Amino acid sequence: MPNHPSPPGSLSRRALLTGTAAAAGIGLAGCGSVSGGLSGKTRVKQWNLLAGADGAVMTEMHDQFSSEHSDIELEATTFGWGTPFYTRLVMGASGGNASDIATIHLSRLKSVSPATLLDPITVDELQAHGLDPADFPEKIWEKCFVDDELYAIPIDTHALVNYYNRTMCEQIGALNPDGTLLETTSVEEYFDLLRAAKELTGQYGTSLDTLGGWRQFWAWYRQADGEMTFTDGDYEMDDDKALQAIEVMYRMAEEGLCPTFADGGQCAANFENGSAAFVQVGNWEINRFRAFNEAQGLDFSMTEMPNFFGNRRTQGDCHSYVLPRHNSWDPEVREATIEYASWMLQHSFRWGEGGGHTPAYLPVTEGAEYQALQPNAEYSGVVQNVQFDPDAWFSGSAARLFDETGSIFNQVYGLAMTPDVALATIKERIETLLSLPNPVD
């Protein structure tokens, strides 16, 4: 399933964009960085995979950037989410003629062979444009390095979060005096909330995307301190903790506390139409629910994932800027490219407000304006709790591990596969993936 399911009627991230955007993409895949052109401006070519509601916010920010930088001609192109985008990026970079800057998932950094397909960035370049390593969460900043070279600039944190219907939660006594959700500290405490919500709705306690089960699995597995590491054709995984996480998913469906099947669209619709008082889905759905609230009324808020095993860790990722490899860099283009990245981060309050993502740039997220922003401030702690997928060429957002385990977890939620069989099947899939070569290498 797409990382950011789009509202009904909008273009899916998995569909490669057509029309002017796609045509522009073909035109941009030409030669290396060149300043000037017919406009006399310094042209910066940007590629991204943001085709949902957050993409509209990005376009708005691009318009503002262009209005404030009359000497820079920004050409932004959006490709289909996932495989279409990464294929285009790898093909362009391998020939040294991709965009000047691209937006990728930080979990995919190592899988795109940065030493050969990306150009490193210097801290001096960033500092010259007002950015500093101290401006980013330490653990996210560290993930931007490969072999001591800086290859990425983090834009945000986006993660699996817990939305709740305040009207329904008030009716079941699940709100604090300030209107925020009561915090639970175990599986059973949270299941009790879901049982009360199910009794109220007559259908489910919570909704979720049964095809995107990797997200829930990884959240619960990491909450239990489960580790998964891949090295030289082998891997380590804690079977007991993995089974525990899958059993939680199975029990939730078995009790009827969540749907036995719901894709991304139905997952959100269950929350909108009152079939569930909660929904576990990404923070990127905030605009969809805001629009529904304005049209039909939906008093909702959102918080971090519930504490099942001693903490509130959750599956997530970061959008990040990278510089695809160039045969040669025009100094003016390089300068304008870093200026673009710096400006976007320094103005990322709008990115958080409109797109729901938590900006990685700490001067924004730690500022009074963002801390007063609701409901964003209520889940801002997710930056410290986000858990990246394990490092492997087949892991990360839009990668094969997510997709291939998704069909297994869908059967778990559908009660068609028991947790022990699911775990064995997941291990078989991992072993198969380990036997395959990285296609980028």
Side-chain angles (χ1 to χ4, degrees):
M1 291 303 295
N3 189 24
H4 299 180
S6 302
S10 64
L11 190 60
S12 165
R13 288 179 181 272
R14 284 196 182 274
L16 182 62
L17 294 184
T18 57
T20 56
I26 295 171
L28 289 176
C31 57
S33 255
V34 179
S35 65
L38 295 178
S39 68
K41 300 179 179 181
T42 301
R43 185 177 63 177
V44 173
K45 299 177 292 183
Q46 189 258 16
W47 289 357
N48 67 84
L49 70 173
L50 301 167
D54 50 5
V57 176
M58 180 190 64
T59 299
E60 174 191 320
M61 294 176 68
H62 282 174
D63 289 343
Q64 184 182 348
F65 171 83
S66 295
S67 71
E68 295 181 15
H69 295 79
S70 58
D71 58 333
I72 297 175
E73 181 181 351
L74 178 65
E75 293 186 359
T77 305
T78 303
F79 297 101
W81 189 89
T83 300
F85 171 80
Y86 285 104
T87 299
R88 170 61 68 134
L89 177 65
V90 168
M91 290 177 63
S94 64
N97 56 12
S99 61
D100 300 309
I101 189 166
T103 305
I104 72 165
H105 297 98
L106 191 53
S107 65
R108 297 295 300 272
L109 180 61
K110 292 182 180 179
S111 75
V112 297
S113 190
T116 55
L117 296 181
L118 302 179
D119 283 335
I121 306 160
T122 70
V123 171
D124 286 346
E125 284 181 296
L126 298 184
Q127 290 177 329
H129 289 269
L131 301 181
D132 190 84
D135 292 334
F136 304 93
E138 184 176 359
K139 73 172 185 177
I140 291 175
W141 179 250
E142 290 173 352
K143 288 189 71 68
C144 297
F145 287 79
V146 178
D147 296 331
D148 297 324
E149 293 272 20
L150 177 65
Y151 283 105
I153 308 171
I155 302 170
D156 62 43
T157 298
H158 52 278
L160 186 69
V161 295
N162 193 29
Y163 295 78
Y164 58 96
N165 181 312
R166 278 203 285 228
T167 303
M168 290 183 174
C169 286
E170 183 177 23
Q171 292 175 339
I172 63 174
L175 294 184
N176 292 307
D178 64 356
T180 58
L181 185 66
L182 287 173
E183 185 173 350
T184 53
T185 57
S186 69
V187 175
E188 289 309 317
E189 280 188 16
Y190 190 70
F191 272 34
D192 282 343
L193 276 188
L194 297 188
R195 292 174 186 123
K198 173 180 169 61
E199 185 174 350
L200 178 66
T201 66
Q203 287 193 270
Y204 313 116
T206 188
S207 186
L208 45 77
D209 180 358
T210 65
L211 292 167
W214 170 264
R215 291 195 174 100
Q216 293 98 39
F217 166 77
W218 193 244
W220 310 144
Y221 182 65
R222 290 295 300 130
Q223 282 196 12
D225 295 323
E227 299 283 354
M228 189 180 296
T229 57
F230 300 95
T231 54
D232 298 326
D234 200 3
Y235 75 103
E236 292 186 8
M237 178 179 181
D238 191 317
D239 287 2
D240 291 339
K241 291 175 180 176
L243 186 62
Q244 175 181 250
I246 300 170
E247 286 174 342
V248 167
M249 301 162 75
Y250 188 90
R251 281 184 53 208
M252 195 179 292
E254 188 176 38
E255 283 197 44
L257 301 177
C258 70
T260 54
F261 176 82
D263 61 15
Q266 186 59 47
C267 164
N270 287 333
F271 185 64
E272 292 170 334
N273 64 28
S275 296
F278 301 90
V279 60
Q280 294 176 1
V281 73
N283 55 250
W284 50 84
E285 290 287 17
I286 188 172
N287 269 342
R288 171 173 177 154
F289 296 144
R290 279 174 173 161
F292 191 89
N293 178 41
E294 292 174 3
Q296 301 188 45
L298 175 66
D299 185 12
F300 77 94
S301 191
M302 53 203 290
T303 185
E304 295 184 65
M305 287 290 278
N307 174 349
F308 277 11
F309 302 113
N311 54 76
R312 304 187 78 173
R313 292 173 187 158
T314 186
Q315 191 270 353
D317 208 333
C318 292
H319 293 118
S320 302
Y321 288 125
V322 296
L323 307 185
R325 186 175 66 84
H326 282 49
N327 294 327
S328 63
W329 271 102
D330 182 293
E332 292 183 15
V333 173
R334 177 91 177 197
E335 186 80 5
T337 298
I338 302 299
E339 170 60 21
Y340 160 77
S342 173
W343 188 95
M344 291 292 284
L345 266 62
Q346 291 169 348
H347 292 77
S348 57
F349 174 85
R350 178 59 188 143
W351 185 241
E353 177 189 39
H357 308 309
T358 302
Y361 187 61
L362 293 178
V364 168
T365 54
E366 293 179 349
E369 186 179 18
Y370 187 85
Q371 287 301 312
L373 183 63
Q374 293 297 334
N376 305 63
E378 190 177 341
Y379 66 91
S380 61
V382 75
V383 173
Q384 303 303 322
N385 284 320
V386 67
Q387 303 296 299
F388 288 85
D389 291 351
D391 278 337
W393 70 262
F394 50 80
S395 181
S397 296
R400 290 185 62 176
L401 183 62
F402 180 97
D403 287 340
E404 296 196 18
T405 58
S407 62
I408 299 169
F409 292 126
N410 189 48
Q411 293 182 73
V412 170
Y413 281 121
L415 308 178
M417 186 178 287
T418 59
D420 57 332
V421 173
L423 177 58
T425 308
I426 289 168
K427 295 176 73 172
E428 290 174 3
R429 296 285 176 88
I430 289 175
E431 289 164 6
T432 298
L433 290 169
L434 281 169
S435 69
L436 301 175
N438 182 347
V440 173
D441 293 340

